[in-house]
Amino acid sequence: MKLPLSKYVWFDGKYVPTEKAQVPITTHAIHYGTSIFEGIRAYWNGKNLNVFRLDEHVKRFRRSGQFYNISLNFSDQEITDAVIGICKKNKMKKSCYIRPFYFVGDYGINLHVTEKAPTSVAIFTFPFGDLFNKNGITAGVVSWRKFSDMSTPPQAKMGGNYLNSIIATQEAKRNGFDEAILLDHNGNVSEAPGENIFIVREGQLITPSLASSALEGITRDAIIKIGKDLDLDVIERDITRSELTTSEEIFLTGTAAEITPIIKMDSKQIGNGRPGDITKKMMEEYSEIVMNKNDEYSHWLTEVY
Ligand SMILES: Cc1ncc(COP(=O)(O)O)c(C=O)c1O
């Protein structure tokens, strides 16, 4: 799948034509997965382009590298300005996905990565609509387990970690499902390859805690806050595998997936086979918020123009 990339990318502090942003084949990250990335969305509401929760993304961007002492040689303000700047430079007036990343550059075959290892930072963007069918998708538990803090830090959003997501997705697709669900090292529900998971049981909104190796998703956090503001019971706890198929509702959250209902889990229909009431409410709230139609949450948005 070739992305409809915008004309310019931001590369180590400069705007360059996309085809000119190149790296040597000896780049460490290509060999060892020593790259850190964020996925950010910006929403065009006809008047302005609003970047969703930019501060939180920039903070996680830096924190991910800190697990491995990989240096991000630009300040948070510089990264923030660059995210806004790349949208402006490309005159982006459509809802889009923004991908900032940094990676260890030419560092030989050295596995002793320190803060002195050379790094580069780049940001690209492209127009982006729905990742999944918003009427609901199917999902299945896969045999691969989510890696845990016993092997590598799950909170580091790093290239290498996504091999686990890739092999899980391959298995789910082979089994005929739209998306994979991974269990944690104890056999409880962790998350999807690129999304957090929520279930609804007896009106309660439940999501696995970070101890189940789930990424501390920014959309997950938004749903927890919105749920509480709507006076729902929002609970972080272990979710057993068998609870999935007996849930009233299930949905995934993520920057790319936004709020995506799961209507069939391990081939069993969830609820009445259509997005449930709480899921629909969350989807409605979320789209109002990102379109800057809800003043209570306008502090989550950064205007580009
Ligand atoms: C493994 C994983 N879990 C969850 C998420 C959802 O996180 P967020 O809502 O911050 O996009 C992502 C996407 O970033 C992810 O890659």
Side-chain angles (χ1 to χ4, degrees), residues 139-209:
V141 171
V142 294
S143 61
W144 297 98
R145 293 290 171 93
K146 172 82 196 203
F147 61 90
S148 77
D149 258 313
M150 289 188 285
S151 50
T152 46
Q155 300 309 331
K157 212 166 149 47
M158 302 217 22
N161 283 351
Y162 281 78
L163 292 174
N164 185 230
S165 299
I166 288 169
I167 203 155
T169 304
Q170 288 171 338
E171 184 177 325
K173 294 279 185 188
R174 216 167 32 242
N175 293 340
F177 301 117
D178 296 320
E179 186 58 308
I181 302 298
L182 292 108
L183 304 179
D184 69 10
H185 57 284
N186 290 321
N188 293 315
V189 176
S190 176
E191 60 174 348
E195 303 90 31
N196 291 108
I197 186 166
F198 283 81
I199 64 169
V200 177
R201 278 178 73 99
E202 308 203 339
Q204 288 183 326
L205 196 50
I206 309 163
T207 194
S209 76

Side-chain angles (χ1 to χ4, degrees), residues 248-264:
E248 290 141 32
E249 304 180 30
I250 310 180
F251 61 85
L252 300 178
T253 65
T255 297
E258 301 169 303
I259 320 294
T260 297
I262 292 180
I263 51 174
K264 227 180 197 191

Side-chain angles (χ1 to χ4, degrees), residues 209-224:
S209 76
L210 304 189
S212 283
S213 306
L215 184 76
E216 194 169 12
I218 291 165
T219 323
R220 174 186 181 274
D221 176 75
I223 291 302
I224 291 173

